[in-house]
Amino acid sequence: MYYSGIKYNDIANGIGVRTTLFVSGCRNHCKDCFQPETWEFTNGEPFTENIEEELLESLEPAYISGLTLLGGDPFEPENQQALLPFVRKVKKRFADKNIWAYTGYLLDEDLAEGGRKYCTATKELLESIDVLVDGLFVAELKDITLKFKGSSNQRVIDMKTYRENGRIEEIF
């Protein structure tokens, strides 16, 4: 997997101060995407063990709330496969930190068992995420007043509630 960028001390992509990893690769190609360069799976740099360690170290300070995964799309199957071992490390080392992820795919359709983006890593990856922002960015539904999403069709989902009772409960 490649990554397009990392934001340290990010306050725009989740609650609190975060470390944000922008993965490369997205097949959605949303109109007016804010980062079309991330569509290419080889954009940026390879996601190496050294980069993983830098990210883990960036999560150490108490003021860092957690990690955010976006892109590109972390839920392209090849990205899921590469991210899962890293997310396991984050959860093991920082049980008190939360993980947010953004995807253009829908939790209850594309990422559900049998869905078009479901793979061997999906179930465990979803179980490791605290908040999932799902749905395509739709330029015609863009609204800059929305919290943590770009268009009104997107959902900011509490994954704990989803795991406990299968109900999609939006946070914002």
Side-chain angles (χ1 to χ4, degrees), residues 111-169:
L111 302 178
E113 191 171 345
R116 66 188 178 115
K117 294 299 171 173
Y118 190 88
C119 69
T120 57
T122 308
K123 184 176 189 282
E124 186 178 349
L125 194 55
L126 289 172
E127 288 171 352
S128 302
I129 292 169
D130 299 285
V131 176
L132 180 71
V133 182
D134 80 344
L136 294 172
F137 170 73
V138 178
E140 294 77 20
L141 300 175
K142 181 179 179 177
D143 182 347
I144 62 169
T145 67
L146 298 171
K147 286 188 175 185
F148 306 116
K149 58 185 181 177
S151 58
S152 61
N153 63 296
Q154 295 174 309
R155 305 179 294 185
V156 183
I157 300 168
D158 174 6
M159 291 300 291
K160 181 179 179 193
T161 299
Y162 183 75
R163 284 190 294 273
E164 288 175 355
N165 60 32
R167 194 176 76 241
I168 291 178
E169 186 173 301

Side-chain angles (χ1 to χ4, degrees), residues 2-108:
Y2 280 69
Y3 72 99
S4 294
I6 298 169
K7 274 190 181 179
Y8 298 104
N9 300 308
D10 182 16
I11 58 169
N13 295 298
I15 294 174
V17 182
R18 318 185 63 72
T19 294
T20 300
L21 173 65
F22 294 82
V23 302
S24 295
C26 183
R27 293 181 177 92
N28 286 317
H29 298 191
C30 297
K31 177 185 169 195
D32 295 336
C33 173
F34 79 109
Q35 293 203 135
E37 66 277 6
T38 66
W39 296 350
E40 294 299 322
F41 282 83
T42 56
N43 183 68
E45 301 291 327
F47 188 65
T48 64
E49 286 185 26
N50 288 341
I51 296 302
E52 283 188 21
E53 191 54 40
E54 283 181 31
L55 289 166
L56 291 168
E57 287 173 13
S58 78
L59 294 168
E60 288 178 4
Y63 67 87
I64 300 294
S65 299
L67 173 72
T68 298
L69 305 170
L70 43 80
D73 199 309
F75 281 92
E76 291 293 357
E78 50 269 75
N79 289 342
Q80 291 184 56
Q81 299 290 346
L83 285 170
L84 182 57
F86 171 64
V87 167
R88 285 178 184 143
K89 291 176 189 176
V90 172
K91 294 303 274 186
K92 182 177 181 180
R93 196 157 152 186
F94 303 106
D96 60 326
K97 309 279 181 175
N98 60 64
I99 299 177
W100 283 50
Y102 284 74
T103 182
Y105 300 108
L106 294 175
L107 172 63
D108 47 342

